[in-house]
Amino acid sequence: MRAPTGTTWREYLTAATPTSRRHATVQRVYLAWVPFSRNPTAIVGLVIVALVVAVAMFAPWLASHSPIAQDLSYRLAPSTAAHWLGTDELGRDIYSRLVWGTRTVLRVIFLVAVITGPIGLIVGAAAGYVGGWWDAALMRITDIFLAFPRLILALALTSALGPGIDNAIIAIGLTGWPPLARLARAETLTIRSSDFIAAARVVGASASRIVFRHVMPLCMPSLIVRLTLDMAGVILIAAGLGFLGLGAQPPQPEWGAMIASGRKFVFDQWWIAAYPGIAICILSLGFNLFGDGLRDALDPKAST
Amino acid sequence: MTEAAIAVNELSVRFGLATAVDNVSFSVASGESFGLVGESGSGKTTVLRVLAGLIGHWTGRAQVGGHALGAKRPKALARVVQLVFQDPYASLHPLHTVDRVLSEVATIHGLANAQKRIVGTLQAVGLGPEFRFRFPHQLSGGQRQRVAIARALILEPSILLLDEPTSALDVSVQAEILNLLRRLRAERGLTLLLVSHNLAVVANLCDRVAVMRLGRLVEQADVERLRTSTPEHAYTRQLLAASRGYDRAAAEIEEQASPA
């Protein structure tokens, strides 16, 4: 994409009179980007998340060994030139397993977001806008899910579905939407009584058009922020399920499962559990900082 | 008299225990400009919202542009009667460009020549094509109200309901919007129903006025008569005095008007 001839990018992005629908959208994104880019912690978060995505994309080239190749003559080794972060109890290279593990963790995060985001948004916005009987029914279902601690519910679901990373994703997804639905409903309740919704009704817009085109876009910023901040928790739950043997199954490299296998040696070969722990910590921190920055940039009340 | 564009008969609206509108009847002839005045809480906006189909629970009979109003509002009614809201800062979706606001209305009703109509309607309310892709936050209050009027007019309704269209704007912009409305009314033969607490605004735009107080219609009169002679009802006299600015006399009329 190029700026139209005769103008610089800066003029294009800050022009007072947008000339097309796309121009208006691009300006909107730029307007959110400016405060975000001036927030150093947000940039740190973005860089961490971007780096992890890059590592996952280029894992075959970044990894020094196969993540599942065993070398039983070279078990539990400390870091050396050949094995940068040492080897685990089966002689597998920990660095390579960490690199390949980014794919597992990002897959979990992406699929959980894809499951929880839409369910939470649709349930919350529908309950909030339609109200009455629908609202009561949908919110009681939400309450039932919220009544259980999240990890316990995910545990129960994975043990019912059977261990495995896909079942863990489904379990985390199904336990993750109720807080989002609550949030979307609260946002919808304030939006539905506003004049611009009444105006949409007066020009004849249907309820579904109002919910999807008018209410949901306004719920999106807070929902995206909440979802990003939730990702740190999702990483921890996925790692927890892996740790308990209900998530990723061996020999698939997964950070939680790596900690679990390292705990037997934690006093003598501490690095086996420590490196995946540090990785989880950094990525969770990255998502938290990124989410905080998004909240400041997207807050509709702060910028008008 | 031509057929009534708006006819309201014994309209009552209750919110819980409170009666917002109590047994109100009036009618507006086609092409007429009718004002509804009263203080805050007098029920004038509620009457307007019933006619726009925004309030479902009411009793009595109401008829707009030949359509009897029921509990549900048919989509076709939107092409007959439209409403302009009081606060242009609240009545435009903050994430929708002017273009999107107008093209959505065109899409809902399947209007032909949507592009031409959007440009034409913007021009009719005095906005050039440079405003078309702006977001509401890139517009002034008066420009926003023009967009809201354009949204109401793109369907080419014969009846326009105006809910204090100028009270959220500063004085010089108020005059611009009033001039715009007067011009649009003349060009399109619109029937106007204007709600305001400001007798001066009503006198500026309307032929006939009804005065509401505490949910009841207390008096109907021609604007000319209001200007030349003394109104019958004490409350109307007070409003008239108040529109000339505050003085002690107005407060004294209030004591006569309130029974308690």
Side-chain angles (χ1 to χ4, degrees):
Chain A
M1 207 166 94
R2 288 179 53 224
T5 43
T7 56
T8 64
W9 266 113
R10 187 156 191 85
E11 284 165 9
Y12 182 74
L13 289 171
T14 55
T17 51
T19 49
S20 68
R21 285 174 201 190
R22 201 184 68 186
H23 191 172
T25 316
V26 170
Q27 283 197 335
R28 178 117 219 139
V29 174
Y30 176 73
L31 228 67
W33 167 251
V34 170
F36 187 89
S37 64
R38 287 183 190 150
N39 182 346
T41 56
I43 292 295
V44 169
L46 180 65
V47 166
I48 292 174
V49 173
L51 270 179
V52 172
V53 171
V55 166
M57 281 168 72
F58 301 108
W61 294 278
L62 289 170
S64 53
H65 295 70
S66 158
I68 53 171
Q70 302 181 6
D71 182 0
L72 291 174
S73 63
Y74 205 73
R75 300 168 61 225
L76 305 172
S79 50
T80 58
H83 299 280
W84 295 344
L85 301 179
T87 59
D88 67 4
E89 80 277 17
L90 295 172
R92 295 175 295 197
D93 183 55
I94 290 177
Y95 165 72
S96 303
R97 285 179 70 73
L98 279 183
V99 167
W100 281 95
T102 54
R103 290 198 168 184
T104 316
V105 72
L106 287 182
R107 178 152 156 255
V108 171
I109 285 171
F110 176 75
L111 289 176
V112 166
V114 164
I115 296 172
T116 56
I119 296 182
L121 185 58
I122 290 172
V123 169
Y129 186 74
V130 178
W133 197 86
W134 269 98
D135 185 27
L138 288 173
M139 281 303 111
R140 291 303 79 75
I141 296 172
T142 311
D143 284 344
I144 293 170
F145 276 89
L146 281 172
F148 298 94
R150 191 159 174 206
L151 184 61
I152 305 289
L153 197 58
L155 254 173
L157 275 170
T158 24
S159 43
L161 293 168
I165 193 76
D166 292 318
N167 288 339
I169 290 168
I170 294 172
I172 298 170
L174 287 180
T175 56
W177 64 267
L180 297 176
R182 279 264 135 140
L183 182 69
R185 176 176 174 270
E187 293 268 329
T188 305
L189 286 181
T190 57
I191 296 165
R192 70 180 275 203
S193 57
S194 60
D195 272 0
F196 56 82
I197 296 298
R201 284 167 60 201
V202 172
V203 295
S206 63
S208 65
R209 173 179 281 273
I210 290 175
V211 170
F212 281 100
R213 306 271 180 108
H214 294 245
V215 174
M216 282 189 184
L218 286 174
C219 296
M220 285 304 277
S222 53
L223 218 66
I224 290 172
V225 168
R226 179 63 194 258
L227 209 52
T228 316
L229 291 173
D230 264 5
M231 284 309 136
V234 168
I235 295 166
L236 294 179
I237 291 178
L241 290 176
F243 183 83
L244 295 169
L246 293 167
Q249 294 302 298
Q252 190 181 10
E254 199 270 327
W255 296 352
M258 287 168 74
I259 299 179
S261 71
R263 78 181 191 277
K264 286 171 279 189
F265 319 103
V266 78
F267 291 114
D268 302 313
Q269 284 88 23
W270 54 268
W271 58 88
I272 298 174
Y275 290 131
I278 292 169
I280 289 171
C281 182
I282 290 175
L283 185 57
S284 304
L285 184 70
F287 269 105
N288 261 327
L289 296 177
F290 182 51
D292 266 342
L294 276 184
R295 175 162 56 198
D296 295 341
L298 294 179
D299 185 2
K301 280 142 210 125
S303 66
T304 31
Chain B
M1 193 169 130
T2 47
E3 198 207 341
I6 302 172
V8 174
N9 255 310
E10 295 170 357
L11 175 73
S12 295
V13 184
R14 274 181 190 80
F15 295 118
L17 290 175
T19 304
V21 176
D22 188 4
N23 215 2
V24 164
S25 306
F26 65 92
S27 78
V28 181
S30 190
E32 192 182 18
S33 178
F34 190 81
L36 213 50
V37 287
E39 61 196 13
S40 303
S42 61
K44 54 197 194 309
T45 298
T46 307
V47 171
L48 213 60
R49 288 185 161 244
V50 167
L51 292 176
L54 286 173
I55 296 174
H57 53 280
W58 47 274
T59 55
R61 273 171 297 128
Q63 178 267 109
V64 176
H67 297 256
L69 291 185
K72 286 224 163 184
R73 184 167 188 267
K75 209 168 88 175
L77 202 58
R79 306 188 71 155
V80 177
V81 53
Q82 274 301 321
L83 172 64
V84 175
F85 288 83
Q86 173 175 10
D87 183 1
Y89 291 89
S91 70
L92 296 176
H93 195 292
L95 299 180
H96 288 183
T97 59
V98 174
D99 175 70
R100 175 141 181 215
V101 169
L102 298 180
S103 60
E104 182 169 43
V105 182
T107 312
I108 291 170
H109 291 272
L111 299 183
N113 293 330
Q115 298 297 316
K116 238 176 87 183
R117 267 202 204 222
I118 291 169
V119 176
T121 312
L122 281 177
Q123 202 171 14
V125 297
L127 292 176
E130 72 269 24
F131 292 98
R132 186 170 163 193
F133 296 103
R134 286 202 190 175
F135 285 102
H137 69 85
Q138 294 167 313
L139 300 171
S140 71
Q143 289 164 349
R144 286 177 194 229
Q145 195 60 300
R146 285 171 194 266
V147 173
I149 294 170
R151 168 175 59 196
L153 288 181
I154 194 166
L155 287 171
E156 297 178 350
S158 56
I159 301 167
L160 199 57
L161 309 174
L162 303 160
D163 183 7
E164 311 230 15
T166 58
S167 66
L169 306 170
D170 56 58
V171 179
S172 60
V173 183
Q174 279 187 14
E176 280 176 31
I177 296 291
L178 287 176
N179 287 338
L180 170 70
L181 289 170
R182 197 179 306 107
R183 176 169 63 78
L184 288 171
R185 181 192 167 207
E187 281 171 10
R188 302 181 176 224
L190 291 170
T191 306
L192 296 185
L193 175 54
L194 172 80
V195 156
S196 181
H197 64 269
N198 188 339
L199 216 51
V201 169
V202 172
N204 180 298
L205 206 60
C206 298
D207 317 322
R208 218 147 54 84
V209 182
V211 180
M212 278 188 78
R213 189 182 191 213
L214 303 176
R216 289 169 183 275
L217 213 64
V218 295
E219 185 167 2
Q220 290 194 48
D222 287 347
V223 165
E224 276 311 306
R225 230 195 74 213
L226 272 188
R227 265 182 238 232
T228 51
S229 68
T230 333
E232 286 160 27
H233 199 281
Y235 181 62
T236 316
R237 285 200 294 275
Q238 188 203 345
L239 274 180
L240 204 59
S243 71
R244 295 179 187 126
Y246 176 82
D247 63 22
R248 184 166 293 278
E252 276 162 11
I253 301 173
E254 175 168 35
E255 279 155 28
Q256 297 167 29
S258 325

